[in-house]
Amino acid sequence: MMEKFFHLKENHTDVKTEVMAGITTFMTMAYILAVNPNILSAAGMDAKAVLITTSLAAFVGTMLMAFLANYPFALAPGMGLNAYFAYTVVLSMGYSWQMALLAVFVEGIVFIVLSLTNVREAIFNAIPLTLKSAVSVGIGLFVAFVGLQNAKLIVNSDSTLLTYQHFKGETFHSVGIGALLTLVGVLLIAVMLIKNVKGAILYGIILTWVLGIICELTGIYVPDAEAGMYSVIPTAFVSFDFSSLGNTFGQVFNLDFTNFNMGNFIVVMFAFLFVDLFDTLGTLIGVASKADMLDEEGKLPRIKGALLADAIATSAGAVLGTSTTTTYIESASGVTEGGRTGLTAATTAVLFLLASIFSPLFLTIPSFATAPALIVVGFYMMGAVAKINFDDMTDAIPAFLTILVMPLAYSISEGIAIGVVSWTLINLLSGKAKEKKITPLMYVLTVLFILKYIFL
């Protein structure tokens, strides 16, 4: 049966290799089970429900990848997009989390249509490479910034807007210790990454959490609910109670259209689509290259199936109650272990499903233990800066503005908008329009974004 579904011999692999590869992939991306509830609960969502939906969305998406494309790629709610969902769309723009889920759901539907046609290729080719790279870097800084805030390493300042955590004072044994443990966590993950330890990010979260437990047991760390610092000692390990799922399941269709602004909604939906589309394509090509899956022309066979799996998972995830579900670059860890077929993905999917019963354990993990993961994920995304040609000012300046605006304006969509507008106008006004081959789509997007700033 395995041979019939996954064509193991044709792909020069076997069941044992595929299963081990699937376990490895799960270990490297399981950190999302701790991080996603932490982030989305900031938007007012039920943390336990989010953990269950994260598990289910990862299971559904990864199984779809296994059977629609027969590739060893795993999916889960994406980093960066979950932060954008919570901190920009809900907390900054004032949308309800149900409305944000609707934007994700609609984005998934649009992505499904694009995956079934050749339009996605036209869109992908219309956006300049420099902006694609800049968006990745900007999101990396945004995610790292969220991590620093969650750890309370970067805090509010009335005089300078932001400042670093001052460790002396009454809150040292709560906020201060948490911030210090985050720094220890980053150090631990960094060392493990350098030592090529598989699952370094997950191990970093667990070790930081264990250190927090030791600190609480010895009185070094003292929970302080008013400061947002809670007990880190688990009181339960497993739960078969999935009733909390009702708090998010189907809520995408439970909407209050009071103060609804169609223009802003379209911008939000486009931001989700833009990042999801390019992140997915980049991840698929990157991991496929590592696995030697690209054909002579550098294209990925069966890419429509892979994109369709990603798109369906996004809409399904929104119905379940989580932010955009997307393909994970951590899939490369399973590929490195020899994973070549959908059996690797199916193994990872089953492990995500089983993880849902450990919700009490994951929910006890404090934000200072998940913050190092956000900071390190931000570091990973910074690598795209090397693809930006800083010798060409018409590319470099828009890329710089994109990167700068995302963390400082606390908005991925604003960074995308500024990047598109500045790239088009700078090239147009400097007489580089023909040389840069500005596409009609870029002109349309530029006009739309300018109108947004004038009227919205």
Side-chain angles (χ1 to χ4, degrees):
M1 189 175 70
M2 294 293 185
E3 182 60 40
K4 178 184 176 183
F5 280 122
F6 303 116
H7 309 290
L8 302 179
K9 290 179 182 177
E10 181 184 324
N11 288 281
H12 311 292
T13 185
D14 54 49
V15 172
K16 181 182 178 182
T17 301
E18 295 291 300
V19 170
M20 289 305 296
I23 294 171
T24 301
T25 297
F26 174 77
M27 289 298 293
T28 56
M29 59 187 286
Y31 66 86
I32 192 63
L33 293 168
V35 175
N36 208 41
N38 195 296
I39 290 178
L40 295 190
S41 62
M45 299 180 73
D46 182 280
K48 184 175 181 181
V50 172
L51 192 148
I52 296 170
T53 61
T54 300
S55 301
L56 294 178
F59 169 74
V60 171
T62 308
M63 274 298 188
L64 284 170
M65 182 66 74
F67 289 99
L68 288 180
N70 193 26
Y71 278 136
F73 308 142
L75 294 84
M79 289 299 304
L81 287 167
N82 52 4
Y84 173 63
F85 180 105
Y87 297 103
T88 297
V89 179
V90 177
L91 295 180
S92 294
M93 298 178 72
Y95 280 112
S96 67
W97 56 263
Q98 291 91 339
M99 192 65 76
L101 285 176
L102 180 63
V104 173
F105 178 78
V106 173
E107 176 252 313
I109 298 298
V110 174
F111 198 177
I112 290 171
V113 174
L114 295 179
S115 298
L116 293 171
T117 66
N118 293 322
V119 177
R120 60 173 176 74
E121 292 177 9
I123 295 175
F124 186 76
N125 294 332
I127 308 295
L129 178 62
T130 187
L131 286 186
K132 295 171 191 170
S133 301
V135 167
S136 179
V137 176
I139 292 174
L141 286 177
F142 182 81
V143 169
F145 185 38
V146 168
L148 292 169
Q149 285 183 301
N150 286 355
K152 296 180 172 58
L153 276 165
I154 296 297
V155 294
N156 175 68
S157 167
D158 292 336
S159 57
T160 61
L161 291 182
L162 297 171
T163 188
Y164 63 92
Q165 176 65 245
H166 295 279
F167 293 100
K168 293 180 181 179
E170 296 178 3
T171 60
F172 172 74
H173 286 287
S174 56
V175 174
I177 290 298
L180 285 173
L181 286 173
T182 294
L183 293 174
V184 172
V186 173
L187 185 64
L188 289 171
I189 293 173
V191 171
M192 286 188 284
L193 288 173
I194 292 166
K195 296 288 186 180
N196 293 316
V197 175
K198 291 181 175 61
I201 293 178
L202 178 63
Y203 290 141
I205 291 174
I206 293 171
L207 289 172
T208 306
W209 180 28
V210 169
L211 289 174
I213 292 173
I214 293 171
C215 287
E216 184 173 344
L217 289 172
T218 55
I220 299 172
Y221 171 75
V222 179
D224 181 355
E226 287 187 13
M229 308 300 290
Y230 304 98
S231 175
V232 300
I233 300 173
T235 55
F237 293 90
V238 297
S239 172
F240 294 94
D241 178 11
F242 299 105
S243 59
S244 62
L245 183 60
N247 295 328
T248 59
F249 181 76
Q251 292 299 309
V252 63
F253 305 116
N254 183 19
L255 301 168
D256 178 6
F257 285 93
T258 306
N259 300 322
F260 177 76
N261 185 303
M262 180 57 78
N264 273 340
F265 180 82
I266 291 172
V267 170
V268 169
M269 188 278 293
F270 174 76
F272 278 126
L273 178 64
F274 184 98
V275 177
D276 191 17
L277 180 64
F278 297 125
D279 185 52
T280 299
L281 283 167
T283 299
L284 287 175
I285 299 301
V287 178
S289 297
K290 192 175 185 68
D292 237 2
M293 292 176 176
L294 302 181
D295 61 21
E296 298 80 9
E297 297 177 7
K299 295 179 180 179
L300 180 64
R302 307 190 304 281
I303 191 170
K304 278 193 176 181
L307 288 170
L308 192 59
D310 196 295
I312 295 172
T314 291
S315 289
V319 173
L320 288 166
T322 186
S323 53
T324 307
T325 302
T326 189
T327 308
Y328 263 56
I329 193 66
E330 282 84 354
S331 302
S333 63
V335 168
T336 303
E337 289 296 299
R340 291 296 181 272
T341 74
L343 181 54
T344 292
T347 302
T348 303
V350 170
L351 290 173
F352 267 112
L353 185 63
L354 292 175
S356 62
I357 68 172
F358 293 97
S359 57
L361 198 61
F362 283 109
L363 292 173
T364 313
I365 299 175
S367 57
F368 64 72
T370 57
L374 296 177
I375 295 167
V376 172
V377 168
F379 154 74
Y380 270 125
M381 299 183 77
M382 283 293 295
V385 76
K387 298 176 183 177
I388 299 170
N389 180 12
F390 285 97
D391 293 327
D392 184 347
M393 293 293 185
T394 59
D395 274 352
I397 293 174
F400 167 72
L401 292 174
T402 302
I403 295 166
L404 183 70
V405 167
M406 282 190 189
L408 295 187
Y410 218 67
S411 172
I412 291 171
S413 58
E414 295 304 329
I416 293 171
I418 294 297
V420 168
V421 171
S422 62
W423 188 87
T424 303
L425 293 182
I426 286 174
N427 280 286
L428 187 64
L429 296 174
S430 59
K432 300 279 188 178
K434 273 191 176 181
E435 180 186 328
K436 292 292 184 177
K437 298 178 182 177
I438 303 178
T439 61
L441 177 63
M442 287 298 288
Y443 284 118
V444 170
L445 290 176
T446 298
V447 171
L448 289 175
F449 282 133
I450 291 174
L451 291 175
K452 166 188 174 291
Y453 285 118
I454 293 173
F455 295 109
L456 300 180

